[in-house]
Amino acid sequence: MKEESIRPEKIFKKYLALAKKDAIAYFKDIPFTRHLCPACKSIKSTFAFRKLGFDYEECNDCGTLYVNPRPSADAFCRYYSDAPSVVYWATHFYKVTEDARREKLIRPKAVAVSRLIEKYYGPFPKRACVADAGAGYGVFCEELSALLPRGIPTIAIEPSPSLIQICKDKNIETIPKFLEDVTKADFKNKTVVAIVSFELLEHLHSPDDFIQTCSDLLDSGGLLILTTLNWQGFDLQILREHSNSIHPPHHINFFNTASIQVLLQRHGFEICEVTTPGKLDVDIVSKQLQDVTCPFIRELLSLSDDAVREKLQAILQETRTSSHLMIVARKK
């Protein structure tokens, strides 16, 4: 897969430019405070690099990369409420790429999730449902609902007023809240058999609060299926601060295949499986060879054709070293 097919360079660059301005406009003169590692709660960390006024540190114990110190949760809430880059992503970027993302990313992901639920969850109870936290345009809700047994809805959890309306216009049952504010009562006597959340954990000021709420909403045996960025993945390790994925204030937490398990286990989950099914690492690095400091990697990718690059990407998937991470966990 090519990055251009789901993130057209022209509009992605505009988004990044807006985010760069927002990092200054929303966070320049506000206090930053130190935090523990979001995965293992260690106080030991080492400075990694600075980007757009945000310091990234790497946990000495579990290897998680995270912004530290960081602004308050209220500051991030204000930012996500009306920052131009956030509005652009929600109203323009995603709209323009919706069809391509549906075909290449979301529909295959819905198939994978339906199989994971079938594999790791027992018989469905009466009035079962699945919840999509951070549902956006509701595309995943549409795709998964079409695959689940009849009568089992995928409910959107979405705090953005404009996106809430889009979901409702598609007749998707929607809970208009941040996940952290949702309670079991919001599901109107339905049993949540699985919560899914894609590319959200890296944005959160407090991943602990998010995961604890997921645990509170699930009964024993309920599934949590997450995707996020893997700091130990190929393109992030090669490009580091030059990576467009490391772009504050949007992405502030970068777990890895081990540390994400520590986070979930602390909140009462057992791990079913961890994979890195990413498809873009090699293509991303190939487009940024000027930022690659390793001569071998630079030479390897510059001489490789598409067939060789596809094989390299397959190796990253098999060895769990792609930067796209998926984890499936079950509440004890």
Side-chain angles (χ1 to χ4, degrees):
M1 183 188 293
K2 300 291 186 181
E3 185 183 24
E4 178 70 20
S5 64
I6 60 166
R7 288 196 288 258
E9 184 176 10
K10 183 177 180 180
I11 60 175
F12 190 45
K13 280 187 173 180
K14 181 173 181 180
Y15 162 73
L16 293 175
L18 288 171
K20 185 176 181 179
K21 292 179 180 178
D22 289 344
I24 298 171
Y26 282 78
F27 299 99
K28 182 180 179 181
D29 297 318
I30 64 173
F32 283 46
T33 57
R34 294 196 60 79
H35 288 256
L36 303 177
C37 170
C40 72
K41 295 303 179 184
S42 173
I43 62 172
K44 303 174 184 177
S45 58
T46 301
F47 175 79
F49 48 79
R50 167 171 278 219
K51 190 166 185 179
L52 302 181
F54 289 75
D55 288 345
Y56 285 85
E57 297 185 350
E58 190 167 4
C59 177
N60 293 353
D61 291 329
C62 73
T64 296
L65 182 79
Y66 59 106
V67 167
N68 197 34
R70 60 180 57 181
S72 68
D74 288 342
F76 276 101
C77 187
R78 288 192 296 272
Y79 168 75
Y80 278 110
S81 295
D82 61 5
S85 60
V86 176
V87 173
Y88 181 78
W89 181 273
T91 61
H92 184 74
F93 183 96
Y94 201 97
K95 184 177 182 179
V96 169
T97 62
E98 179 179 352
D99 290 342
R101 294 173 72 87
R102 181 190 292 270
E103 176 188 353
K104 296 179 182 295
L105 291 181
I106 299 173
R107 185 169 294 146
K109 192 172 288 184
V111 171
V113 167
S114 67
R115 290 173 178 169
L116 289 168
I117 294 174
E118 182 179 2
K119 180 179 181 180
Y120 291 113
Y121 193 88
F124 288 112
K126 292 182 179 180
R127 295 183 58 78
C129 70
V130 174
D132 181 8
Y137 274 62
V139 179
F140 180 80
C141 291
E142 293 177 304
E143 294 294 330
L144 184 62
S145 291
L147 297 171
L148 292 174
R150 187 172 182 178
I152 299 180
T154 304
I155 298 174
I157 301 174
E158 176 55 53
S160 166
S162 60
L163 297 178
I164 290 167
Q165 190 58 51
I166 289 171
C167 288
K168 289 184 175 180
D169 289 344
K170 293 180 176 181
N171 294 317
I172 298 170
E173 185 175 347
T174 305
I175 298 174
K177 296 181 178 181
F178 287 99
L179 184 280
E180 294 86 342
D181 298 324
V182 176
T183 67
K184 283 189 174 183
D186 291 305
F187 292 97
K188 301 175 182 176
N189 296 319
K190 295 184 180 71
T191 297
V192 184
V193 300
I195 297 172
V196 297
S197 179
F198 304 129
E199 289 79 58
L200 182 60
L201 208 58
E202 59 266 32
H203 294 262
L204 300 176
H205 184 272
S206 177
D208 262 317
D209 291 347
F210 181 88
I211 299 300
Q212 184 57 54
T213 304
C214 290
S215 180
D216 293 341
L217 293 173
L218 293 167
D219 293 334
S220 178
L223 301 178
L224 179 59
I225 303 174
L226 304 173
T227 64
T228 189
L229 292 164
N230 173 25
W231 170 232
Q232 293 178 345
F234 180 73
D235 66 279
L236 293 181
Q237 283 293 304
I238 295 299
L239 297 174
R240 294 179 66 83
E241 66 265 35
H242 300 293
S243 169
N244 287 329
S245 291
I246 300 178
H247 207 282
H250 289 272
H251 293 168
I252 59 175
N253 309 300
F254 293 83
F255 299 94
N256 56 58
T257 55
S259 70
I260 189 71
Q261 297 183 56
V262 173
L263 171 64
L264 268 61
Q265 288 168 338
R266 192 170 63 251
H267 292 280
F269 288 94
E270 59 182 1
I271 308 304
C272 299
E273 65 176 64
V274 183
T275 57
T276 65
K279 299 180 179 181
L280 296 176
D281 302 67
V282 175
D283 183 60
I284 288 171
V285 175
S286 297
K287 295 194 305 182
Q288 287 185 241
L289 291 179
Q290 73 279 5
D291 296 318
V292 176
T293 58
C294 175
F296 175 75
I297 296 293
R298 192 165 57 243
E299 185 76 2
L300 175 66
L301 294 183
S302 64
L303 296 176
S304 300
D305 59 18
D306 284 347
V308 172
R309 291 177 181 181
E310 288 178 7
K311 291 178 182 178
L312 290 173
Q313 188 65 49
I315 291 172
L316 297 179
Q317 293 174 345
E318 292 169 8
T319 57
R320 300 201 309 179
T321 51
S322 165
S323 292
H324 178 67
L325 185 159
M326 173 177 276
I327 185 165
V328 183
R330 181 192 291 118
K331 184 177 178 181
K332 293 181 180 179

